[in-house]
Amino acid sequence: MEALARSRLWSRCKSRATAYYRALTRDFNYSTDFFFGQEFLMAIAGARLNSTNRMLELEPGNSQQQELMKKHYFWKFVQEEFGDCVQLHIEFLAMLNRIRPFLNATFLIVYYSTVMSLSSGAIYVSQMKNITVFSLNTLYYCVWISFECATLSRAVSILTDTHESIGWAVYNLDWPEKLEWDDQFQEEYRSVRATMLNVMVVAQQPLRLNCYGFFEFTQDRFYELLNMAYSMYTFFRDFV
């Protein structure tokens, strides 16, 4: 009977985790706090902890021993699951460090080439008296490169905001209630606390997608690009 009860509890735990994962996948978007699956991993940790607690309640023994075992598994699961989240974040930052020079060079070229193309295209189209195939191609090219630059800047903004949201996601966890000091688990307490502080500190650091220090390539910068292109258009059209 005891083995059957454990099997049923574990099956119910897995079914709830599967349902949560499906709902998470269906509703996922980059503006949520589900970045790198943190909420999913923490949900799995909670499910494992609840399942273990139910198993301990079914086993014979005094309440003090059961409470000690619950605390042991709590710190064990927190370290394991939170460590998985941190490892994913580390892998992402390491990959970003490798491709950052290429991205900064690409963003810098795209930014100023878009400014020149928009201003030149606007001057050419404004001087045309008749609509031709070439003028339509010029207009199409200007719209396309504007869309491309806007998409890239928007992607960088989303990436930056999501990176910052990791720290807030960790900060908003109910750690004041869950992470309680215990003399028997003081090493685990210090380890988890230090990990959380490191994650929040790292999440506050910029991603440095700043075109080699010239400017941050974000969506706000794209609006400044349009103003710069218009200023160049108004300046050069007097010489044409």
Side-chain angles (χ1 to χ4, degrees):
M1 291 296 294
E2 182 178 350
L4 180 61
R6 291 183 179 181
S7 178
R8 289 179 178 177
L9 287 173
W10 178 242
S11 298
R12 186 169 60 179
C13 173
K14 289 193 295 184
S15 63
R16 289 183 178 180
T18 303
Y20 183 87
Y21 175 75
R22 290 175 179 174
L24 179 63
T25 305
R26 183 178 63 252
D27 300 333
F28 178 84
N29 61 77
Y30 289 104
S31 63
T32 63
D33 290 333
F34 297 141
F35 193 56
F36 295 136
Q38 279 188 333
E39 294 289 342
F40 173 65
L41 292 176
M42 296 302 291
I44 293 297
R48 292 173 60 190
L49 180 62
N50 292 334
S51 176
T52 304
N53 290 341
R54 294 191 184 99
M55 293 179 183
L56 291 175
E57 292 175 356
L58 296 175
E59 294 181 354
N62 57 50
S63 59
Q64 187 175 3
Q65 290 179 343
Q66 291 181 356
E67 187 67 24
L68 183 63
M69 291 299 296
K70 288 180 181 179
K71 291 181 179 180
H72 168 74
Y73 283 111
F74 168 77
W75 290 110
K76 176 183 177 182
F77 293 152
V78 166
Q79 287 181 309
E80 290 179 357
E81 305 301 336
F82 203 83
D84 292 340
C85 297
V86 172
Q87 184 62 34
L88 289 174
H89 195 190
I90 291 174
E91 293 176 0
F92 163 74
L93 293 178
M95 179 183 65
L96 182 62
N97 288 333
R98 289 195 298 268
I99 64 175
R100 182 182 289 112
F102 171 76
L103 291 178
N104 283 330
T106 301
F107 294 154
L108 187 63
I109 295 173
V110 168
Y111 184 85
Y112 285 108
S113 63
T114 302
V115 171
M116 295 299 298
S117 298
L118 289 180
S119 58
S120 302
I123 293 173
Y124 174 78
V125 173
S126 64
Q127 298 297 323
M128 293 294 296
K129 296 181 179 180
N130 297 320
I131 298 177
T132 62
V133 176
F134 186 76
S135 62
L136 292 177
N137 288 334
T138 302
L139 181 61
Y140 169 78
Y141 176 75
C142 292
V143 173
W144 174 254
I145 62 173
S146 299
F147 175 76
E148 180 185 26
C149 186
T151 302
L152 291 175
S153 61
R154 176 59 179 168
V156 174
S157 295
I158 292 176
L159 188 62
T160 302
D161 294 340
T162 310
H163 173 69
E164 295 176 355
S165 71
I166 294 177
W168 288 108
V170 175
Y171 179 80
N172 291 328
L173 293 175
D174 54 347
W175 54 269
E177 300 176 0
K178 298 297 184 181
L179 301 184
E180 297 180 354
W181 172 264
D182 194 313
D183 293 336
Q184 296 180 343
F185 301 98
Q186 52 182 317
E187 294 184 2
E188 290 82 355
Y189 175 85
R190 292 193 182 99
S191 176
V192 173
R193 183 181 176 88
T195 301
M196 295 177 66
L197 291 176
N198 289 334
V199 170
M200 288 186 284
V201 170
V202 172
Q204 293 176 357
Q205 303 298 320
L207 296 178
R208 291 186 291 131
L209 297 175
N210 52 12
C211 299
Y212 295 110
F214 286 96
F215 50 81
E216 292 288 338
F217 191 77
T218 58
Q219 190 173 10
D220 294 335
R221 192 67 191 186
F222 174 74
Y223 301 139
E224 297 182 13
L225 178 150
L226 297 178
N227 292 330
M228 184 184 299
Y230 179 76
S231 299
M232 293 186 64
Y233 161 73
T234 56
F235 177 77
F236 285 112
R237 70 177 178 179
D238 297 333
F239 299 94
V240 179

